[in-house]
Amino acid sequence: MPWFRRKKENISPESKKTDIPDGQWSKCSDCGEIIHNRQLESNLWVCPKCNYHFRIGSDQYISIILDKGTFKEYDKKMISANPLQFEDTKKYTDRISETIKKTGLNDAVITGTGKINGIKSAIAVMDFRFIGGSMGSVVGEKIARITDVAYQNKIPLIIVSQSGGARMMEGAFSLMQMAKTSSRLARLSDAGIPYISVLSDPTTGGVTASFAMLGDVIIAEPKALIGFAGPRVIKQTIGKDLPEGFQRSEFLLENGFVDFIVNRKELKDKLTLLIDYLT
Amino acid sequence: MAKNTLDFEKPIVELENKIEEMKKYEGQLDISGEIKKLEEKVEELKKNIYQNLTRWQKVQLARHPERPSTLDYIYMMTKDFVELHGDRLFKDDKAIVGGFAKLDELKVMIIGHQKGRDTKSNLYRNFGMPNPEGYRKALRLMKLAEKFNKPVITMLDTPGAYPGLEAEQRGQAEAIARNLLEMSRLKVPIIVVIIGEGASGGALGIGVGDRILMLQNTWYSVISPESCSSILWRSWDFKEQAAEALKLTADDLLEQGIIDRIIPEPLGGAHKDPQKMADILKSILIEELNNLLKIKTDKLIQYRLEKFGKMGVYKE
């Protein structure tokens, strides 16, 4: 007879969660530190305790990278036309309109021009909040067009990637965006105009296997998940657990696929310096 | 019942077996009239079934284990094939084959995914799933073709790029991305033929070109119906619906403006008459190549850029 009887219900994982007052505070998903949002913002959404880089939106990258008030957005109104009339458990059109409403974004990338420490540049920033940052026709076309803006104006191109890959709901159209964006980057490259690829968490699938891996210089935020196949799929295929740190930025650096890892607070200065060398 | 019969083919095979059975007694009994009737019925049934295949059934045909592979087509269509191996960086990937060959008098570089036919050969070929060195080998051969001014033909037939640990370590994504960029500016004509499965980036990694052709019973999309089902329906059981939703057949892709031409297959699929299939493909390839060889290099590359530039549907 045990001294103590187990209560009817186990302690649920829910009860371990620290309650955070709405909207004011954020919890670091790496070290668990509770940080006031204003402090987090002034620290560019990097945990002051453990240097964990919070996943942030495209608008935040724009404000971090570009000089204040210099951003001019292109193709803002472009939205998906649902070419396959795709429907799974939900209609793709509904998914799109709900996501637009929820995020205030029209698709998973914003593009435009702006100044980086005074240097005029073309920029594209992806956004994971919009259907996992997936690339369909809109993302592909906007990336292609902003590449052409860089090409025509002879200004450097920066693309911040943050994507789960090509968007399933547009089938082969999504796949072809990989070829479309890569071919435009080929032309940019032939013209000797620099393209710097910035990889944030996560960058996987068809985005990694196209423009994200084609930068003249490729830099990554710390500990970002970067790869072709998702870790779950790989684990299933090989039937083994994946090693610690697999497919993280540091792993790619070690294997020779990124040039360096950049702390978000140094991102703008590093981009400025690189552009200086590449122009 | 014959090996490798697909579910929807069973009524045909059953009827054919019955005819075989009856033929055994033909000498003893007067049943030639009956047999003839049944044979007509079989033909009708075949037409009915094969001309009304669902998308999922076409996916099954595209994966048929007896379907001709890249090397089969090379042996059936060309002469003097010289296979070239290795990426000069790491190793020789057996899931992608390539080399110089002659299509009648036309000297070409042919590169394609290579599946096996049984368990042993499939293990050797890694089920047609390339590692990064496969894409790098393909690129090396394309650059070789460019240097010596030979047109390139690629044949797509893969369930996807291999999702393995070492593949990631050696840069699967980089290898595919590099190919997309380099193929888009390769200074010789490229014809792409989907001969079986065209699964996602693993297929597209050797799939950028001036003319994209698709055999009648093949599929080409961003994801396989099974994986799509598991992600969007959170179950493997919705592959038929996923295949329908993805609109991944040759007819679909022609309508979407992604491919240029459908290559007809013998009734029941390429594997029912491989030599006939190879003859059809060969004559179309020669016709297409002769057209492309008339175009000046800078125009060719410009058209290629515009071709992929037009792909995509959006509102603004």
Side-chain angles (χ1 to χ4, degrees), chain A residues 37-191:
Chain A
N37 279 349
R38 238 175 307 162
Q39 188 197 359
L40 199 55
E41 189 178 341
S42 69
N43 209 36
L44 306 183
W45 297 275
V46 174
C47 174
K49 194 178 164 202
C50 74
N51 196 37
Y52 171 76
H53 282 52
F54 282 71
R55 187 181 293 163
I56 55 173
S58 43
D59 47 336
Q60 288 158 317
Y61 277 109
I62 294 288
S63 76
I64 290 169
I65 294 170
L66 296 182
D67 302 344
K68 209 176 171 186
T70 63
F71 181 59
K72 193 176 151 235
E73 190 172 351
Y74 284 50
D75 304 310
K76 192 178 175 172
K77 288 186 182 148
M78 196 188 291
I79 56 168
S80 170
N82 189 16
L84 303 185
Q85 300 300 312
F86 194 94
E87 189 175 345
D88 48 270
T89 52
K90 206 187 242 185
K91 278 188 180 154
Y92 178 44
T93 37
D94 293 344
R95 216 182 271 273
I96 289 280
S97 52
E98 281 165 26
T99 314
I100 290 173
K101 213 169 149 190
K102 201 173 77 190
T103 60
L105 301 162
N106 278 340
D107 212 302
V109 72
I110 56 175
T111 57
T113 56
K115 286 183 175 169
I116 304 175
N117 283 322
I119 313 160
K120 193 173 178 197
S121 304
I123 189 166
V125 185
M126 301 190 78
D127 203 312
F128 195 76
R129 291 173 296 175
F130 201 98
I131 316 185
S134 56
M135 168 161 69
S137 301
V138 174
V139 170
E141 183 64 20
K142 283 175 83 169
I143 297 266
R145 285 190 192 179
I146 203 64
T147 304
D148 292 350
V149 169
Y151 175 75
Q152 278 145 11
N153 297 288
K154 297 184 170 60
I155 54 175
L157 172 68
I158 316 284
I159 302 178
V160 182
S161 292
Q162 187 180 77
S163 171
R167 188 174 295 168
M168 278 175 282
M169 300 83 163
E170 292 185 27
F173 284 111
S174 299
L175 186 64
M176 294 307 142
Q177 304 312 309
M178 295 168 64
K180 184 199 273 185
T181 53
S182 302
S183 59
R184 304 292 251 280
L185 286 169
R187 184 167 69 166
L188 187 77
S189 181
D190 286 341

Side-chain angles (χ1 to χ4, degrees), chain B residues 11 27 62 210 221 231 247 251 307:
Chain B
D210 305 300
S221 191
I231 297 172
K247 299 199 170 64
D251 290 325
K307 177 185 184 63

Side-chain angles (χ1 to χ4, degrees), chain B residues 4-5 116 257 289:
Chain B
N4 298 324
T5 302
L289 274 174

Side-chain angles (χ1 to χ4, degrees), chain A residues 77-81 83-84 86-89 137-138 141 145 166 168-169 171-173 175-180 182-184 186-187 190 208-210 213-214 227-229 233-234 237-238 242-243 246-247 251 255 257, chain B residues 136 161-165 168-174 176-178 180-181 184-185 200-202 204 208 220-223 227-228 231-233 236 242 245-247 253 256 258 305 308-316:
Chain A
K77 288 186 182 148
M78 196 188 291
I79 56 168
S80 170
L84 303 185
F86 194 94
E87 189 175 345
D88 48 270
T89 52
S137 301
V138 174
E141 183 64 20
R145 285 190 192 179
M168 278 175 282
M169 300 83 163
F173 284 111
L175 186 64
M176 294 307 142
Q177 304 312 309
M178 295 168 64
K180 184 199 273 185
S182 302
S183 59
R184 304 292 251 280
R187 184 167 69 166
D190 286 341
T208 322
S210 59
M213 274 293 152
L214 294 173
F228 178 64
V233 176
I234 299 168
T237 309
I238 63 170
L242 301 170
F246 179 66
Q247 291 185 311
F251 172 89
N255 284 294
F257 290 98
Chain B
R136 290 178 183 134
Y162 187 61
L165 196 141
E168 294 291 320
Q169 205 161 9
R170 293 195 294 273
Q172 188 73 285
E174 193 275 343
I176 293 171
R178 182 73 42 210
L180 303 184
L181 186 142
S184 77
R185 64 180 179 192
S200 199
L204 185 66
V208 178
Y220 193 17
S221 191
V222 70
I223 192 165
S227 303
C228 181
I231 297 172
L232 291 180
W233 281 268
W236 296 98
L246 286 167
K247 299 199 170 64
L253 270 84
Q256 292 159 21
I258 288 172
L305 188 83
F308 285 90
K310 273 186 237 149
M311 294 180 191
V313 182
Y314 43 83
K315 289 186 279 199
E316 51 185 332

Side-chain angles (χ1 to χ4, degrees), chain B residues 172-237:
Chain B
Q172 188 73 285
E174 193 275 343
I176 293 171
R178 182 73 42 210
N179 281 16
L180 303 184
L181 186 142
E182 294 298 345
M183 289 183 90
S184 77
R185 64 180 179 192
L186 203 77
K187 294 191 182 75
V188 289
I190 305 172
I191 298 182
V192 178
V193 194
I194 295 107
I195 59 166
E197 296 191 84
S200 199
L204 185 66
I206 56 167
V208 178
D210 305 300
R211 295 285 286 172
I212 318 291
L213 320 176
M214 215 167 152
L215 301 200
Q216 192 183 349
N217 298 308
T218 61
W219 69 272
Y220 193 17
S221 191
V222 70
I223 192 165
S224 73
E226 288 93 335
S227 303
C228 181
S229 162
S230 90
I231 297 172
L232 291 180
W233 281 268
R234 297 178 194 282
S235 148
W236 296 98
D237 303 333

